[in-house]
Amino acid sequence: MMKNLKILGLVVLLMGTIQACSTYSYYSIGGENLGRYRSFAWLPPVKQTRNIAYNSDLADQRIHESTTDNLQERGLRLKSKNPDLLVRYSVMVDNKERVYDQPVYNYAGGGYYPTVGYFRGRQFLYYRYSAPYPVYVGDDVERVPYKEGTLIIDLIDRNSHKVIWRGYGVGELENAAKTIDDLPKIVEGIMKKLPLKPTRS
């Protein structure tokens, strides 16, 4: 029974952790003086994952469309000839491992034991129940593999060839289909870190 309770507790912990990790975290660096740029064009993506499920034409289309829409909402114009900015993205998928270290207890003792008692100066014998007590016997280490994905969007000054802003979206990948569906949401989360406010709703 204790083993079943331990397994049930681990399952609840894992479910809570997976739910907590189903969201994405967003970061960015740079972005000073972005207001002076007016136009952008796309560079080919950087292929940093060999996993074809996350490196598909559909994923590429979702990223391009969502990023273009977000940049245009912030006043930048898509322009193929002599743009101010060049936009590039890269996708990385890494195998990770989450380690759960669970203490393991066994229960010892418990039962009825003869005990001597006193009542009004007279000694008598009775049986007292003693509950079993936990005894630490070691640790049970569970290793749970998972995939972590990172989408990086770079804005590059066309004249200096320097990255002037980089945004990241990082999260645990449940499966390829859901991740591709989530791409517009991930791009939007990254673009919220861009120091340019939307100029139209």
Side-chain angles (χ1 to χ4, degrees):
M1 181 177 179
M2 288 307 302
K3 183 177 181 181
N4 291 338
L5 287 175
K6 184 184 75 171
I7 293 174
L8 178 61
L10 181 61
V11 169
V12 171
L13 175 65
L14 288 175
M15 289 177 63
T17 304
I18 290 172
Q19 290 174 354
C21 293
S22 62
T23 57
Y24 295 86
S25 299
Y26 303 102
Y27 314 91
S28 69
I29 55 175
E32 297 81 7
N33 303 318
L34 261 176
R36 66 188 180 93
Y37 296 95
R38 295 290 179 265
S39 60
F40 70 96
W42 279 94
L43 288 174
V46 180
K47 305 294 187 180
Q48 291 184 297
T49 175
R50 296 181 182 177
N51 192 321
I52 190 64
Y54 301 98
N55 200 15
S56 65
D57 291 340
L58 180 57
D60 181 74
Q61 178 185 352
R62 294 271 173 91
I63 294 170
H64 269 84
E65 290 178 352
S66 300
T67 304
T68 298
D69 289 345
N70 273 275
L71 290 175
Q72 288 178 331
E73 286 175 3
R74 285 160 172 79
L76 294 170
R77 184 166 51 97
L78 184 61
K79 181 182 176 184
S80 59
K81 187 176 181 180
N82 297 323
D84 299 326
L85 291 171
L86 299 174
V87 184
R88 176 183 62 196
Y89 81 84
S90 56
V91 175
M92 295 182 292
V93 177
D94 296 319
N95 294 317
K96 300 283 187 176
E97 187 177 69
R98 190 172 287 112
V99 179
Y100 300 93
D101 192 352
Q102 300 290 325
V104 178
Y105 295 90
N106 198 0
Y107 281 79
Y112 290 90
Y113 300 93
T115 304
V116 176
Y118 295 90
F119 181 72
R120 293 183 178 178
R122 299 185 63 182
Q123 183 178 358
F124 64 94
L125 182 68
Y126 71 98
Y127 282 84
R128 178 176 60 85
Y129 175 75
S130 177
Y133 53 90
V135 177
Y136 174 76
V137 294
D139 291 312
D140 185 11
V141 178
E142 298 283 343
R143 299 182 182 273
V144 180
Y146 69 97
K147 289 186 181 297
E148 181 182 79
T150 304
L151 171 61
I152 302 172
I153 298 176
D154 289 332
L155 300 185
I156 303 166
D157 185 293
R158 184 179 64 88
N159 293 318
S160 67
H161 307 291
K162 292 181 179 180
V163 175
I164 60 170
W165 181 84
R166 172 170 287 175
Y168 304 81
V170 184
E172 182 174 331
L173 307 181
E174 297 180 21
N175 57 68
K178 185 179 186 310
T179 300
I180 291 174
D181 286 342
D182 284 346
L183 282 173
K185 178 185 74 174
I186 299 169
V187 170
E188 184 177 356
I190 294 172
M191 286 297 158
K192 285 180 178 179
K193 296 291 185 179
L194 190 68
L196 288 176
K197 300 297 182 183
T199 58
R200 58 186 176 90
S201 58

